[in-house]
Amino acid sequence: MDEVTRAQLSRNVAALADGERSAFDPVYRALWPLLVRFIASLSGDRMIAEDIAQQSLLKIFSKVSTFDRSRDALAWSMAIAANEYRSYRRKVNRHEVELDDSVLAGLADPDTPEAAAMRDDLCTAARTVLGKLRPQDLETVIAALYDGRRPPLAAAAFRKRLQRAIAATRLIWKKHYGDGTP
Amino acid sequence: MAMEHPDLSLQRARRAYEWGRLRYAAIQSWPVPLLTAVSVVVCHEPALSLAIGGGLWLASLGFFFYGRVAARAAAAGLKAGMIAFILTLLGFYFLCDLFPNLATASLAIDGGIGSGVGLALSMASARMATRSNAFLVLAGVIATPCGMLACVLFGPIGLTGIALGVLLSTAPVVIYRRAVA
């Protein structure tokens, strides 16, 4: 970003901080691609970058009224985006650690005949349930599970579709195998 | 880039901005509940204090939320109003004995403080490059009830006195500016 555009962004953010609603669209249009590129360079994943850029923009716009006009708007926005990315990384790491601890602790020796039989049963059950899903839900679940080619949707729309697909999967599972309560 | 610019995301950002402004307005309006609470305790007229404080809080919230000249006026009005509030309380406790009766004291003290506040705001508005009249009127709208919260002590004459003081010291400035513009 050249100096003129950067100064323009700072002016627009200052105007927005002052309550000038007409500066909203220019700030949004200027920041969105910058944030996506910035976070993509940190994460290496375009979808994650779009998600975090969106969260960052929400935070930026909710805090913009307190923006200090002596500061550079771009640096300020990037700092918020970097914080958002750090929070995301922390959340992911914590989730992975929790998953590792709980899953590994509960796992029996995978080579025993009992473990193999359980694994086969689970695979069959999962195939049965997945087979009953609508094609659109199945495509979404597979795309999410195997990091495959995602349907051409915005990140938020894909998340919503995935949430619906998971809810449908749970429902079918409950219908076939109960909900695990006696 | 159409995928990265869904309307939904833009709407959410806009909502976040408006909520942020409301939060900012609530934070900036912090003196109003404080002055109202002091007024309720000191003036022993809770209904009147709460009515003035409630109206003032809504006005302050609205001005800060809207932003631009209204927010600058609200900030200046609150500062001037807090000074008027303190001076009015001091006047009630230390200057009333100098006057023959409370009605005269009310008019003199509250009218004088109102005029002072109006003059201070007029001078502040002169520094505005544009919309100085709007600034002056809106700042007066905030400063007057701030002072009135303490004028409850003096009764209706005090309330009228401060309002008249602000009006008489700001109205000529506004009229003059409009005439020469």
Side-chain angles (χ1 to χ4, degrees), chain A residues 92-107:
Chain A
V92 167
N93 287 342
R94 203 165 44 229
H95 183 68
E96 278 169 1
V97 168
E98 277 170 11
L99 205 65
D100 285 351
D101 290 350
S102 60
V103 172
L104 289 177
L107 269 183

Side-chain angles (χ1 to χ4, degrees), chain A residues 15-21 24-25 28-29 32-33 36 46-47 50 54-55 57-59 61-66 152-156 159, chain B residues 1-24 27-28 64-69 71-72:
Chain A
L16 202 56
D18 209 23
E20 201 65 64
R21 267 76 171 176
F24 183 91
D25 283 347
Y28 186 93
R29 272 200 303 273
W32 171 257
V36 171
R46 175 92 186 168
M47 294 295 272
E50 282 181 10
Q54 215 163 63
Q55 292 303 319
L57 272 178
L58 291 184
K59 202 156 258 183
F61 281 115
S62 70
K63 283 182 170 180
V64 77
S65 298
T66 57
L153 293 168
R159 274 201 307 275
Chain B
M1 289 300 274
M3 192 173 133
E4 290 91 22
H5 278 269
D7 284 348
L8 194 68
S9 153
L10 190 73
Q11 276 171 15
R12 283 179 66 199
R14 210 176 272 278
R15 242 191 335 263
Y17 172 67
E18 299 298 350
W19 274 112
R21 278 214 75 80
L22 196 61
R23 226 176 8 252
Y24 166 78
I27 292 168
Q28 294 297 310
F64 278 115
F65 175 76
Y66 179 75
R68 291 168 261 191
V69 70
R72 283 194 285 274

Side-chain angles (χ1 to χ4, degrees), chain A residues 13 40 71 140:
Chain A
V13 171
R71 289 186 68 181
T140 310

